[in-house]
Amino acid sequence: MKKTIAGILILSIIAVGFYTFKALGGFNEIQISQKNLGKIELVGIHYRGTPQDESLKNSFVQIEKLQKENSGSILHTIYYIEPAGKLDTMEVFVGIERRWLEDITGKQILSLDGHEAIVAEIEANRFVMPGPNKVKSKIEDFAKSNNMPAPNIYVDQILGPEHVRVIGIYQAEKK
């Protein structure tokens, strides 16, 4: 009797877990396509340091404020170096498209060639959203299967709390 109740309880917990995962979008596929996005000009702040540094938080706050002031603009982030821990060095660019700003004083301009961009669309709750390595792997697989150069820059666009677009771009090294 106790084994039956325990079995039913375990199966119920598993069923609720699967239902919750599905309801949050955990089984949603990453949609990948090739797009011509033209020239992408971003204006923002380049940060290099540790994740706990107050200037990282201030960089995001500044750009998010600009984004909110310019209805229709989208927050873009490019992680050049992702930290493995709280004290590791990280390098990130956070910005919005140049077309939304008139005054760019104190900001950096970053120009990217998005003519042969690979775009991944992810729609899921942040708790079940696939990790960056999985998304990058899918983009790289798409590039390989379509005889395209593997992207070396990944631009994350935060479109909503449950919608992220990752743009993979191959940028030739500048000499």
Side-chain angles (χ1 to χ4, degrees):
M1 178 78 170
K2 289 183 181 181
K3 288 183 181 180
T4 305
I5 292 172
I8 291 171
L9 184 62
I10 290 171
L11 287 175
S12 297
I13 290 170
I14 292 171
V16 168
F18 271 108
Y19 175 78
T20 303
F21 189 74
K22 182 180 181 344
L24 294 175
F27 292 115
N28 293 354
E29 286 291 319
I30 299 170
Q31 303 298 316
I32 299 185
S33 61
Q34 180 183 356
K35 293 188 180 175
N36 180 352
L37 302 176
K39 184 177 179 183
I40 303 170
E41 264 197 335
L42 302 175
V43 174
I45 299 170
H46 185 262
Y47 169 82
R48 183 178 173 94
T50 61
Q52 294 182 319
D53 193 329
E54 193 66 26
S55 60
L56 172 63
K57 179 183 172 190
N58 293 339
S59 299
F60 273 91
V61 168
Q62 270 185 358
I63 299 303
E64 286 173 346
K65 181 179 180 234
L66 288 174
Q67 188 241 341
K68 287 176 183 162
E69 290 172 357
N70 296 281
S71 179
S73 64
I74 298 169
L75 183 70
H76 294 69
T77 57
I78 301 171
Y79 286 89
Y80 297 103
I81 301 172
E82 294 197 41
K86 294 178 185 177
L87 301 176
D88 288 343
T89 298
M90 69 178 295
E91 187 174 354
V92 63
F93 177 87
V94 57
I96 62 175
E97 287 181 84
R98 167 75 176 100
R99 66 185 168 125
W100 297 102
L101 298 175
E102 290 183 28
D103 180 18
I104 59 170
T105 307
K107 308 286 185 289
Q108 234 182 346
I109 298 175
L110 182 63
S111 293
L112 302 169
D113 181 2
H115 286 91
E116 289 188 355
I118 300 172
V119 179
E121 297 274 346
I122 304 114
E123 291 191 58
N125 185 284
R126 65 186 177 105
F127 293 114
V128 297
M129 197 168 280
N133 290 335
K134 182 176 182 178
V135 176
K136 286 179 184 179
S137 176
K138 292 262 189 191
I139 289 173
E140 289 167 1
D141 290 346
F142 182 90
K144 187 176 182 180
S145 66
N146 288 282
N147 296 319
M148 299 173 68
N152 54 5
I153 295 179
Y154 296 89
V155 182
D156 299 339
Q157 292 180 320
I158 313 302
L159 302 175
E162 296 185 355
H163 190 182
V164 174
R165 179 182 299 140
V166 179
I167 304 169
I169 298 173
Y170 173 76
Q171 187 90 6
E173 298 294 323
K174 294 180 180 177
K175 293 181 181 180

